[in-house]
Amino acid sequence: MPTSAPQPPARRRGGRRGGDADTRGDILRAAREHFARGYEATSVRAVARAADVDPSLIVQYFGGKDGLFKAVLDGAVQPHEGMGAVLAAEQAGIGGDDLGHTLAAYFFGIWEDPARRHPFQAMLVSAASNEAAATVLRDFVRGEVIARVGALLDGDDAELRAELAGSQLIGAALVRYVYRIPPLCDAPLDDVVARIGRAVQAYLAG
């Protein structure tokens, strides 16, 4: 019997397709574009329209807008390729002896990539005026930076030192990429990483 041709994804009432193998990726791609315009300016329905899916699928996959935003941030960080690998190597004793510089290079590498910068930019700008975005920011920083880095440090103030290191990175990113205040916004990337890396290392070393 002849092999039947691949069928297009099933569509829900109103012409929108239902879930399929790439639906989650399509939603995330649409969400990245919308969140780049700001957290408050983004709605589940708008993302669903851009991804050509029913809004209920976003709730099903991500739990709603906050969960979708967190998924976009997780994709930007790519913990299995970046910070996760760096911290795992450090914990195993095979990393470099300057964790501050390594973290700064990784962090600013994210911001230098426009596709990964936009969700962080939206988060930082929106957190100042939107409590939901501020909550996402707090949870993300505590989970991705403070808890993971603090676990590698010794001393009763390890969590505080990790938080100070995180604040150094976030503050520099605000000035360089969001507010674009010179001379930091115009400084060569290598120089910024070297200087911020030394400050971060000082916090981590106590």
Side-chain angles (χ1 to χ4, degrees):
M1 295 179 63
T3 302
S4 58
Q7 297 298 309
R11 291 186 175 270
R12 293 178 178 269
R13 185 172 54 188
R16 292 180 179 174
R17 62 185 171 86
D20 59 67
D22 199 40
T23 298
R24 193 176 190 278
D26 290 342
I27 292 172
L28 287 173
R29 282 188 286 272
R32 280 195 295 270
E33 295 180 5
H34 278 267
F35 280 127
R37 306 166 194 167
Y39 182 90
E40 293 181 339
T42 301
S43 70
V44 168
R45 289 188 176 277
V47 173
R49 282 195 300 270
D52 191 28
V53 301
D54 191 280
S56 64
L57 283 178
I58 295 180
V59 177
Q60 176 183 330
Y61 288 154
F62 304 100
K65 181 176 173 178
D66 291 354
L68 179 60
F69 194 25
K70 177 63 165 55
V72 169
L73 291 175
D74 286 342
V77 172
Q78 299 172 4
H80 60 290
E81 297 178 1
M83 180 176 287
V86 169
L87 296 182
E90 183 73 18
Q91 193 166 28
I94 59 177
D97 57 359
D98 191 349
L99 180 58
H101 184 277
T102 302
L103 289 176
Y106 169 66
F107 183 78
F108 285 102
I110 293 175
W111 282 90
E112 289 293 315
D113 179 354
R116 302 169 72 188
R117 178 195 315 162
H118 291 154
F120 280 94
Q121 185 168 332
M123 177 181 65
L124 292 179
V125 171
S126 300
S129 59
N130 183 279
E131 181 57 33
T135 298
V136 173
L137 173 61
R138 284 195 296 268
D139 291 346
F140 182 82
V141 171
R142 289 196 64 84
E144 289 297 324
V145 179
I146 298 173
R148 299 176 73 182
V149 175
L152 300 179
L153 307 178
D154 297 322
D156 295 336
D157 62 345
E159 186 173 297
L160 174 61
R161 284 149 50 207
E163 186 167 356
L164 288 169
S167 68
Q168 180 77 49
L169 294 169
I170 291 172
L174 273 171
V175 174
R176 180 175 173 86
Y177 299 104
V178 179
Y179 300 132
R180 296 197 54 78
I181 300 175
L184 182 54
C185 69
D186 299 320
L189 179 61
D190 289 345
D191 190 25
V192 172
V193 168
R195 292 171 182 266
I196 298 297
R198 286 196 292 271
V200 170
Q201 183 63 28
Y203 285 128
L204 298 181

